Amino acid sequence: MLSDLFRRKPFIIGMIHLPPLPGSPNNKLSLEEIINFAYNEGKKLEESGVDGVIVENLGDYPFYKDQIPPITVASMRIITREIRRNFSFDAVGVNVLRNGCIDAFSIAHITNSQFIRCNILIGAYVTDQGIIEGKAADLLRLKRYLNSKVMIAADIHVKHAYPLYNLPIEIAAQDLAERGGADAVIVSGYRSNILPEIDTVRKVKSAVSLPVLIGSGISLDNFKEYCREADGLIIGEKDFKENGIVGGPNRKDAYEKLVKECKK
């Protein structure tokens, strides 16, 4: 069970942020070149000692809400398969932005990956892509239909968004766990580079029995307290990127430093 993996506190997840994929506005690389990029990122992350990775199409902005083009899904499926074939991470996850949870789940299932990140599993949020509604009803039925073991790590009060059904975060987390079918809860700040307040993390942890992960804002200056409080960290901000470029190549040395300190 993925929840058992995340109980290996803290479970460190590195990001494989893909360059713009074929079909997206800023695409400049062939699929083969992007596969090579992803392989090199996977190698750095494996050598740094992280527990798992997420493959994410960060370069594909502006993002579709949830009707993801088939060329994007096909590309991510091939890339994810290569990561699964070539590395031995405890867990590989898929995140199809902005809210391609059905697509991510299909990719994860067919590549025998362990989990997905679903930004909006339940509720409705105003985002820069418009209003996005949760996918839990369709997603959980797909999981049942496929008899799949793929787990769902889902955001609560997701970043770059505002909830229309704006419950206190601890109550929203209970709904996510009990009514949304999540296997882990992700807590984030308002934007990718902003941390959630540590008290917010504690509120969510006290409200649910699921693993609670940090989904934004981790830096080399702030990670130690969050290693103690959270069940896992999703790492991918500028401190962990070459030349501080978000979405660019990873810095193995920065990941190594965090893993060494968190795993003491």
Side-chain angles (χ1 to χ4, degrees):
M1 294 287 290
L2 183 63
S3 58
D4 294 332
L5 289 175
F6 287 155
R7 297 296 184 194
R8 299 179 196 170
K9 184 177 178 179
F11 195 88
I12 309 300
I13 300 171
M15 292 301 304
I16 299 179
H17 284 139
L18 300 175
L21 296 172
S24 67
N26 299 306
N27 171 252
K28 294 181 175 65
L29 302 177
S30 69
L31 181 58
E32 199 61 37
E33 290 172 317
I34 297 172
I35 291 170
N36 290 337
F37 174 89
Y39 175 86
N40 289 332
E41 294 301 284
K43 191 171 190 299
K44 284 185 282 187
L45 290 171
E46 184 177 60
E47 291 174 352
S48 74
V50 301
D51 300 298
V53 297
I54 295 175
V55 180
E56 181 181 273
N57 60 325
L58 185 65
D60 281 351
Y61 57 85
F63 302 114
Y64 286 92
K65 289 195 290 187
D66 48 22
Q67 298 296 315
I68 312 301
I71 191 170
T72 302
V73 179
S75 298
M76 289 196 69
R77 183 249 181 205
I78 292 170
I79 295 164
T80 304
R81 183 187 63 183
E82 291 303 303
I83 296 300
R84 287 286 292 133
R85 279 180 172 178
N86 288 288
F87 302 103
S88 55
F89 297 110
D90 291 338
V92 172
V94 183
N95 188 20
V96 180
L97 298 169
R98 167 66 189 220
N99 204 48
C101 303
I102 300 293
D103 301 294
F105 194 93
S106 300
I107 293 166
H109 179 79
I110 209 70
T111 59
N112 199 31
S113 298
Q114 286 81 10
F115 73 104
I116 68 167
R117 181 175 186 173
C118 182
N119 289 171
I120 300 170
L121 183 61
I122 63 171
Y125 288 74
V126 180
T127 75
D128 50 317
Q129 293 80 36
I131 296 175
I132 302 179
E133 298 182 26
K135 294 294 180 183
D138 291 333
L139 185 55
L140 270 294
R141 283 167 175 79
L142 175 63
K143 181 174 180 176
R144 179 64 180 267
Y145 172 75
L146 294 173
N147 192 28
S148 180
K149 295 180 180 179
V150 173
M151 299 289 110
I152 302 164
D155 285 84
I156 190 64
H157 287 194
V158 65
K159 59 189 177 181
H160 300 285
Y162 184 83
L164 292 179
Y165 184 48
N166 193 14
L167 296 170
I169 193 167
E170 64 272 23
I171 304 301
Q174 289 174 339
D175 278 354
L176 185 65
E178 297 166 7
R179 296 165 64 87
D183 298 289
V185 176
I186 302 172
V187 182
S188 301
Y190 293 113
R191 290 175 57 83
S192 293
N193 62 331
I194 298 175
L195 268 173
E197 296 288 339
I198 199 70
D199 286 345
T200 300
V201 177
R202 290 169 180 156
K203 282 182 183 178
V204 173
K205 281 189 64 65
S206 68
V208 299
S209 60
L210 298 179
V212 175
L213 316 180
I214 307 301
S216 70
I218 294 295
S219 74
L220 288 174
D221 296 324
N222 63 26
F223 68 84
K224 291 184 180 179
E225 185 174 18
Y226 289 82
C227 287
R228 293 191 299 268
E229 295 289 342
D231 298 294
L233 308 179
I234 300 173
I235 312 295
E237 305 304 340
K238 65 179 183 178
D239 280 5
F240 302 90
K241 298 294 183 177
E242 293 181 7
N243 301 313
I245 298 173
V246 175
N250 285 316
R251 282 181 53 197
K252 185 175 78 167
D253 64 313
Y255 274 98
E256 285 175 336
K257 176 178 172 60
L258 181 142
V259 170
K260 181 179 178 181
E261 292 296 319
C262 279
K263 299 291 188 179
K264 280 183 177 178

